[in-house]
Amino acid sequence: MQDYTLKEMMAVVAAREIQNGDIIFCGTGISMLAAMAAKNISAPDCVIFFETGAIDSLLEEVPLAVGDSRVMYHTAVNGGLADAFGTMQNRFTGKRVVGILGAAQIDCYGNLNSTCLGGYDKPAVRFSGSGGANDVASFVSRTIIFMKHEKRKFVKQLDYLTSPGWLDGPDGRQEAGLTGGGPSAVITDMAVMRFDPDTRQMFLAECYPGISADDVQENMGFRVDCSRAAETQPPSARELHILRNRCDPQRLILG
């Protein structure tokens, strides 16, 4: 029997993607929790920064948003928007920046839509839009994407392209003049998806315990290669203890 929630699984899996020395640009919610988990579990020398200009935050408590005053606690720099985006796009620091993003839709190349559902002029639903997501997806060395694993979110064609993934394939980013490295992983509540180094198309890399490749494929709007799928290592007792008691003891994000 599982002794962890899928949200805990997602946070721990994302934390494992982050390495010592990485500079993490993250937003609100589970992405913030994943960055904190990495800092406290496996990558103590990573640096967390936010769009609002807080760089190298200590994060004694998990903030509720990037504008929460807690992101400013014991920072190396308390700057503004320009400082945050300057750090992200700097030709030296930018090579180690990892962006954590979410969206309403994703396609097989990791392109994201966080703008609208339906036509742009008369959408069925309009979202908040890019914010800094387009800049992050365009310029950082790699991105990690959080998605709810649903057919309506994994689509053959986006209703609107907000943030670039691998665009239309292997040379898409280069032809568009994008210097960043593109998406490396999509972490969902069912699985971990990655991108083939040759085709840049999404494939199933890992299924969570108790979830099959057929379950994953059934909840997607396009076909993916499932032949390489392995089972994800569940969170260890240590990882769960730190996540629950150090990162989010008030259950603000874990619930």
Side-chain angles (χ1 to χ4, degrees), residues 71-164:
V71 306
M72 303 293 185
Y73 183 68
H74 274 248
T75 55
V77 175
N78 258 349
L81 188 67
D83 299 289
F85 280 79
T87 300
M88 181 179 68
Q89 297 183 33
N90 182 285
R91 65 193 181 100
F92 298 109
T93 59
K95 293 179 180 179
R96 295 304 304 269
V97 175
V98 180
I100 307 180
L101 300 174
Q105 291 179 325
I106 187 170
D107 69 11
C108 69
Y109 292 111
N111 301 305
L112 302 177
N113 170 23
S114 55
T115 300
C116 63
L117 297 180
Y120 181 79
D121 293 328
K122 293 183 179 180
V125 180
R126 188 176 294 281
F127 301 109
S128 57
S130 170
N134 180 281
D135 300 78
V136 173
S138 297
F139 296 112
V140 304
S141 61
R142 61 190 172 97
T143 53
I144 299 167
I145 301 165
F146 278 118
M147 293 291 295
K148 182 82 172 171
H149 209 117
E150 298 175 347
K151 189 172 290 188
R152 62 176 180 162
K153 292 182 174 291
F154 285 78
V155 297
K156 289 182 179 179
Q157 182 162 345
L158 303 177
D159 289 350
Y160 187 90
L161 173 57
T162 308
S163 306

Side-chain angles (χ1 to χ4, degrees), residues 36-54:
M36 286 186 68
K39 182 85 171 174
N40 285 278
I41 295 173
S42 56
D45 295 326
C46 69
V47 173
I48 302 171
F49 76 109
F50 300 94
E51 185 176 345
T52 43

Side-chain angles (χ1 to χ4, degrees), residues 107-111 165-174 180-184 194-203 228:
D107 69 11
C108 69
Y109 292 111
N111 301 305
W166 293 107
L167 292 175
D168 57 359
D171 301 319
R173 293 180 67 88
Q174 183 178 358
S184 62
R194 299 193 187 275
F195 297 88
D196 186 271
D198 296 321
T199 67
R200 297 303 187 189
Q201 290 192 7
M202 189 183 298
F203 69 92
R228 291 173 267 187

